[in-house]
Amino acid sequence: MSTKEKLITHVMKEEPVGSRNKVTVVGVGMVGMASAVSILLKDLCDELALVDVMEDKLKGEVMDLQHGSLFLKTHKIVADKDYSVTAHSKVVVVTAGARQQEGESRLNLVQRNVNIFKFIIPNIVKYSPHCILMVVSNPVDILTYVAWKLSGLPRHRVIGSGTNLDSARFRHIMGEKLHLHPSSCHGWIIGEHGDSSVPVWSGVNVAGVSLQSLNPKMGAEGDTENWKAVHKMVVDGAYEVIKLKGYTSWAIGMSVADLVESITKNLHKVHPVSTLVQGMHGVKDEVFLSVPCVLGNSGLTDVIHMTLKPEEEKQLVKSAETLWGVQKELTL
């Protein structure tokens, strides 16, 4: 008899149940690993699977995480380049693909990443047909559309991380300006996760007090306090971080964990995430953009109808047209 057999008597006759809350992260680059560690530290899954094509990097990352098992409450952390390791995932987070170089626009990455998705998405769906797909790779709005098309999943189960991070950046800068915690600074950035995002100034508030009612020129040209610069800092934020440290990781990782939490814990929280907006706010084309959406364990169940000013609606439609211009050229 082995030491284990002397120590432990196995009494259960049936097959074990297996994981009930499995999360997969595809891509173990900076964003994938920041997402993985954020998900682990928030105790959101009972099994975490990692997948990537770079086998040594993958093996190293998973070992490094496993070595911290004592300090975590996730018993099973696995990794393989074979997608069978991802089977029966509740949520699959896709971070794989080429990332922005310094000064490069997110839209520039598109065809490179579409080709990568043609391999990834069918493999995910093969092993986790009931999963909720969360796309993080850039350009996120277009790639969420691509993932939706390639997966054949219903629209409520394909979500782009979208402007969840942009809105967080906005609320952080707003908080710095007002000396308040970001959670008390309410403001929504919608549209493209990128250069044509739309700040909804009419909704910016603290404790229900509309800031635009105190400063009617907020967000416009003649504003002496120059709030417009806050949105510019949001748009330039990623470029700035990439210029300084080479990539972005921590904030997007925490943003992903925030979304995964709302899904796995069925919170019915409202997040600005990328979804099919055709027919909303005057958008005619089949594009994905961020609008406030309700997230729970069925995925993205509802969309909040924002009251937008004509100017904001016009910017959103322009955002949609920009994306459609790129999208219609794609070979899927």
Side-chain angles (χ1 to χ4, degrees):
M1 269 173 92
S2 69
T3 307
K4 184 182 167 185
E5 285 167 335
K6 288 177 188 168
L7 178 72
I8 299 168
T9 305
H10 190 61
V11 296
M12 188 177 87
K13 297 284 186 280
E14 299 83 27
E15 276 294 303
V17 172
S19 305
R20 295 177 190 273
N21 258 325
K22 179 168 173 176
V23 174
T24 289
V25 176
V26 181
V28 295
M30 296 302 184
V31 173
M33 290 315 296
S35 301
V37 88
S38 300
I39 287 165
L40 288 171
L41 290 171
K42 281 170 77 80
D43 297 337
L44 298 181
C45 57
D46 57 7
E47 178 177 351
L48 177 70
L50 303 177
V51 185
D52 202 302
V53 287
M54 293 162 62
E55 287 184 77
D56 285 355
K57 164 90 167 137
L58 183 64
K59 201 171 175 185
E61 290 291 4
V62 74
M63 279 177 73
D64 208 356
L65 290 179
Q66 287 166 342
H67 293 166
S69 290
L70 173 61
F71 316 115
L72 297 170
K73 291 185 177 64
T74 305
H75 176 61
K76 201 173 176 195
I77 304 173
V78 294
D80 206 300
K81 76 172 203 302
D82 191 296
Y83 278 78
S84 57
V85 79
T86 69
H88 312 300
S89 294
K90 277 269 172 66
V91 182
V92 178
V93 178
V94 184
T95 71
R99 65 162 187 246
Q100 279 165 286
Q101 302 303 310
E102 189 181 324
E104 184 179 22
S105 142
R106 292 180 180 91
L107 292 177
N108 211 35
L109 304 168
V110 70
Q111 194 61 56
R112 272 185 289 169
N113 285 348
V114 168
N115 295 338
I116 295 169
F117 269 44
K118 284 179 184 171
F119 171 74
I120 292 173
I121 304 298
N123 272 304
I124 292 169
V125 177
K126 176 180 167 187
Y127 290 103
S128 301
H130 304 295
C131 76
I132 292 160
L133 252 185
M134 188 184 300
V135 178
V136 185
S137 319
N138 277 317
V140 70
D141 304 292
I142 294 176
L143 290 177
T144 307
Y145 164 83
V146 169
W148 174 56
K149 284 292 187 200
L150 293 173
S151 66
L153 295 179
R155 60 190 272 184
H156 68 273
R157 288 205 277 128
V158 184
I159 304 166
S161 58
T163 56
N164 198 53
L165 176 56
D166 308 60
S167 299
R169 284 178 174 141
F170 182 87
R171 293 170 69 178
H172 157 69
I173 300 163
M174 182 179 163
E176 296 270 281
K177 222 169 146 76
L178 300 171
H179 297 286
L180 296 170
H181 191 274
S183 68
S184 297
C185 298
H186 302 280
W188 292 75
I189 289 189
I190 59 171
E192 186 208 354
H193 170 57
D195 307 344
S196 71
S197 65
V198 182
V200 185
W201 295 109
S202 50
V204 173
N205 75 86
V206 173
V209 180
S210 159
L211 268 56
Q212 209 169 47
S213 72
L214 308 178
N215 173 2
K217 292 209 160 149
M218 172 172 273
E221 284 306 336
D223 174 20
T224 49
E225 296 174 19
N226 196 12
W227 281 84
K228 207 173 177 178
V230 174
H231 178 242
K232 189 174 173 2
M233 285 163 81
V234 170
V235 171
D236 295 343
Y239 295 113
E240 181 73 357
V241 175
I242 290 167
K243 197 174 103 184
L244 293 167
K245 66 172 243 188
Y247 55 89
T248 70
S249 59
W250 302 122
I252 183 62
M254 290 185 264
S255 169
V256 165
D258 179 51
L259 298 172
V260 171
E261 178 175 40
S262 290
I263 293 166
T264 57
K265 296 199 179 305
N266 197 26
L267 294 184
H268 289 222
K269 257 178 76 173
V270 181
H271 295 268
V273 288
S274 199
T275 190
L276 184 62
V277 291
Q278 194 173 30
M280 298 174 199
H281 300 295
V283 175
K284 307 261 192 302
D285 299 308
E286 202 176 41
V287 292
F288 278 62
L289 283 176
S290 288
V291 286
C293 299
V294 181
L295 297 184
N297 59 9
S298 309
L300 191 158
T301 51
D302 309 86
V303 173
I304 307 296
H305 294 291
M306 289 191 101
T307 316
L308 297 181
K309 302 246 165 96
E311 182 51 37
E312 292 164 340
E313 202 137 275
K314 210 170 85 186
Q315 283 175 269
L316 197 66
V317 171
K318 200 165 177 278
S319 211
E321 284 167 357
T322 305
L323 293 181
W324 183 247
V326 179
Q327 230 168 262
K328 66 176 201 294
E329 302 301 323
L330 296 179
T331 44
L332 290 185

